[in-house]
Amino acid sequence: MSLTAFFLLSFAAAAQGFNCGPLPELAHGNIDYPSGIETDAKAVLTCKTGFNLVGGPNEIMCGDQGWLSRLPVCEAVTCSPPADVVNGGFSPQREVYKFQDAVFFSCKKGFTLSGHELVTCSEQGTFSPAPPTCVLVECEDPVIPNAEFVGGSRPPHEYLATVEYRCKAGFTMTGSSSLKCGMNNRWSPEIPKCSSSGHGLVGGVVGGLVSIAVLVVQFFWM
């Protein structure tokens, strides 16, 4: 081979660049080569949902002698334990929870869970939805003038307790006869009312007619 041919081949190889070859497989992640695997090209690293890139950059350049950075790793996202629940608890209890690990909440007797019973470790490293609380729910005994108790819960009225009332004779109910105790310690729907059915009006009309009849008798008597 002539000296000229040697230099031409060397120049062509230099112009083509060094071939770094593919990087090792990235567990729980992906490696893309948008501009190839030769000098000045870059490899783009991404982790799957629930994993974070640790130990290196998310882009690695190909140099004249190979890739210029060590391959990082994809580590699972972790969540710290939820805060203690007053008048309740959760399980399982661990020092660290991994991505998509589930935690179940419960309350002591007499308390009601306000929120979601199950939460999971999210890709942001926090539990989602937000952990619940344990609340004491107790609705006061309904006071409905001119009404009488039909059936249902007796005090103390806890969460989802139901009661039913009806109006006494001569009164008409406005609203629902059945009520349910809600998380806000209030009855739902609103407590009904018992109003006069109008017998007083009828009596007034009858009384007026009697008065007119008396006047007519008196007129003809005179």
Side-chain angles (χ1 to χ4, degrees), residues 59-202:
E59 293 184 356
I60 300 179
M61 299 296 297
C62 174
D64 294 335
Q65 297 181 351
W67 296 106
L68 301 179
S69 299
R70 293 178 56 186
L71 186 69
V73 296
C74 290
E75 289 187 354
V77 171
T78 59
C79 294
S80 299
D84 291 336
V85 181
V86 179
N87 298 311
F90 59 85
S91 63
Q93 294 193 1
R94 302 172 184 166
E95 292 185 0
V96 176
Y97 297 84
K98 293 184 179 181
F99 174 61
Q100 290 188 332
D101 279 351
V103 172
F104 296 86
F105 287 83
S106 60
C107 295
K108 295 179 180 178
K109 185 177 180 180
F111 291 85
T112 301
L113 200 68
S114 177
H116 294 269
E117 179 185 15
L118 183 150
V119 299
T120 57
C121 180
S122 70
E123 59 186 285
Q124 285 77 31
T126 57
F127 281 100
S128 180
T133 57
C134 292
V135 297
L136 180 63
V137 178
E138 185 175 329
C139 293
E140 294 183 358
D141 216 23
V143 177
I144 310 175
N146 303 312
E148 55 190 12
F149 180 76
V150 175
S153 169
R154 289 292 189 180
H157 303 289
E158 298 181 349
Y159 178 57
L160 296 182
T162 59
V163 292
E164 187 171 353
Y165 285 80
R166 67 186 173 198
C167 292
K168 296 179 180 179
F171 294 87
T172 302
M173 181 171 288
T174 302
S176 175
S177 62
S178 180
L179 305 173
K180 181 180 293 185
C181 181
M183 187 68 71
N184 58 356
N185 298 312
R186 295 180 178 273
W187 294 103
S188 178
E190 292 184 0
I191 296 177
K193 296 180 180 180
C194 289
S195 305
S196 174
S197 300
H199 294 298
L201 177 61
V202 173

Side-chain angles (χ1 to χ4, degrees), residues 3-23:
L3 186 61
T4 301
F6 175 79
F7 279 114
L8 288 174
L9 289 174
S10 299
F11 178 79
Q16 185 177 8
F18 181 81
N19 189 321
C20 290
L23 286 163

